Amino acid sequence: MGNKVTTAVFPVAGLGTRFLPATKSVPKEIMTLVDRPLIQYAIDEARAAGITEFIFVTSRGKGALEDYFDLAPNLEEELKRKGKFDMLKVLEDTNMDSGAIAYVRQHKALGLGHAVWCARRLIGDQPFAVILPDDVIAAEKPCLQQMVEAYDETGGNMVAAMEVAPEKTSSYGILDVVNEEGNLLDVKGMVEKPKAEDSPSNLAVIGRYILSPSVLKNLDEMKKGAGGEIQLTDAIAAEIENKRKVYGYRFSGQRFDCGSKSGFLQATVAYGLARPELREDLAGYLRDIAPSL
Ligand code: UTP
């Protein structure tokens, strides 16, 4: 039912203030979880879901991101000369096809909705995915792939959904749900960052979306929402008002909020323990310090 989704937008134009001073010169998306930058996890997830066109919405000071996806011929030569073929393979796995990535700038950080709108000409008139690289999701089947498979059946618009503690609703877009069938939630409303007492549920939207191009039209109006920002949530909620479908998808997997320091540290431990070559050492250290915590 849903058209094939081959384009993904990666909004990476935020200021990353929670990671200052590091983000003074290092884009948040280049910060490393074990040995891979956050953006690499996002790209790998997109590729697994069948994405072939990658659009980055960037801003001033994000040059390191563009360089990361460029070839590194000198480095590759040097690794070959030294016979470090395993490292060469690691590098090659990060290579992208020429022309697969397009960059567009958001000149002012006016909000996530505005960032996605900046990519409208590159997206064109087709459904597209949005991935926020600071939401990292550990899952057997990558989250976006789960969603693309569900979207094949439903069409419309789809957002990743997860239950959060009631006191945390004010940090998320929250779903108002009429019906639930398996992993699919039939959504009748969405509110950005409601207080616990005003929240329609504790089902939060997290950073994976499959959207129809009409959401970009809704963003044309440039209405400011919560926090004075142009919110993607509001543009998706407008779809419901226009009698178009919005689904929440309860994904399987564990999400880490790598936009926060605590979430980033937890992800570092989880992804470290998942690496066979690091597991024993790291688990030993955690066991040693656990009694004193
Ligand atoms: P955040 O709310 O995490 O904001 O944005 P931020 O600027 O990245 O980080 P803090 O809060 O200052 O520490 C969520 C996602 O939306 C993108 C960010 O890059 C991030 O991927 N974003 C946000 C934009 O691209 N443009 C914006 O105007 C706002």
Side-chain angles (χ1 to χ4, degrees):
M1 190 175 172
N3 290 340
K4 210 166 150 36
V5 184
T6 54
T7 297
V9 179
F10 301 81
V12 291
L15 300 173
T17 51
R18 283 171 288 174
F19 281 97
L20 282 170
T23 43
K24 218 172 127 188
S25 65
V26 183
K28 180 168 66 173
E29 301 73 22
I30 284 291
M31 296 195 331
T32 50
L33 207 47
V34 188
D35 51 11
R36 300 155 74 77
L38 287 185
I39 194 68
Q40 187 66 55
Y41 292 90
I43 291 278
D44 289 349
E45 185 177 330
R47 280 170 154 171
I51 300 294
T52 50
E53 311 287 327
F54 305 80
I55 304 172
F56 283 31
V57 183
T58 67
S59 58
R60 190 173 296 275
K62 301 272 179 168
L65 260 175
E66 297 189 25
D67 289 345
Y68 176 78
F69 286 110
D70 214 337
L71 292 182
N74 293 346
L75 184 56
E76 287 186 18
E77 244 349 277
E78 194 62 15
L79 290 174
K80 253 185 230 156
R81 209 176 52 79
K82 292 190 168 155
K84 296 195 168 176
F85 295 105
D86 48 343
M87 277 297 125
L88 196 60
K89 169 86 178 68
V90 168
L91 265 196
E92 281 169 0
D93 285 347
T94 67
N95 286 349
M96 303 291 284
D97 292 341
S98 286
I101 305 186
Y103 299 92
V104 64
R105 282 231 178 170
Q106 184 190 29
H107 295 134
K108 263 187 177 174
L110 297 177
L112 176 59
H114 180 259
V116 171
W117 180 82
C118 288
R120 67 200 178 283
R121 293 203 179 87
L122 293 170
I123 297 167
D125 193 24
Q126 53 168 341
F128 59 99
V130 176
I131 297 187
L132 305 190
D134 39 13
D135 274 333
V136 173
I137 302 170
E140 219 162 282
K141 182 186 281 187
C143 179
L144 189 65
Q145 189 183 348
Q146 298 175 36
M147 289 173 68
V148 163
E149 287 174 9
Y151 173 84
D152 276 345
E153 305 290 321
T154 63
N157 297 278
M158 189 175 281
V159 299
M162 170 185 112
E163 273 172 33
V164 296
E167 68 276 12
K168 292 277 167 74
T169 57
S170 59
S171 304
Y172 295 90
I174 298 290
L175 299 177
D176 191 356
V177 171
V178 254
N179 192 23
E180 182 162 355
E181 214 181 301
N183 294 329
L184 268 191
L185 308 164
D186 198 344
V187 175
K188 69 167 174 162
M190 291 169 78
V191 198
E192 185 63 32
K193 302 191 169 59
K195 289 193 198 123
E197 58 272 27
D198 304 326
S199 191
S201 75
N202 65 340
L203 285 162
V205 177
I206 68 120
R208 303 289 183 275
Y209 309 76
I210 300 174
L211 301 176
S212 83
S214 47
V215 171
L216 300 169
K217 292 266 172 321
N218 304 342
L219 284 165
D220 279 342
E221 291 183 31
M222 291 293 160
K223 280 194 201 137
K224 285 189 185 160
E229 295 198 346
I230 297 165
Q231 297 287 359
L232 185 59
T233 304
D234 296 341
I236 303 171
E239 287 290 278
I240 306 169
E241 283 153 35
N242 295 333
K243 307 270 176 285
R244 288 188 284 260
K245 294 297 288 184
V246 174
Y247 299 96
Y249 184 82
R250 272 186 203 264
F251 59 94
S252 317
Q254 190 179 3
R255 172 259 190 178
F256 295 94
D257 175 10
C258 289
S260 78
K261 281 178 260 204
S262 171
F264 203 106
L265 290 169
Q266 289 169 35
T268 300
V269 173
Y271 277 76
L273 288 173
R275 287 286 187 87
E277 75 278 19
L278 298 175
R279 186 176 172 83
E280 204 183 309
D281 240 25
L282 184 55
Y285 171 69
L286 293 173
R287 274 193 292 268
D288 281 353
I289 62 167
S292 62
L293 295 178

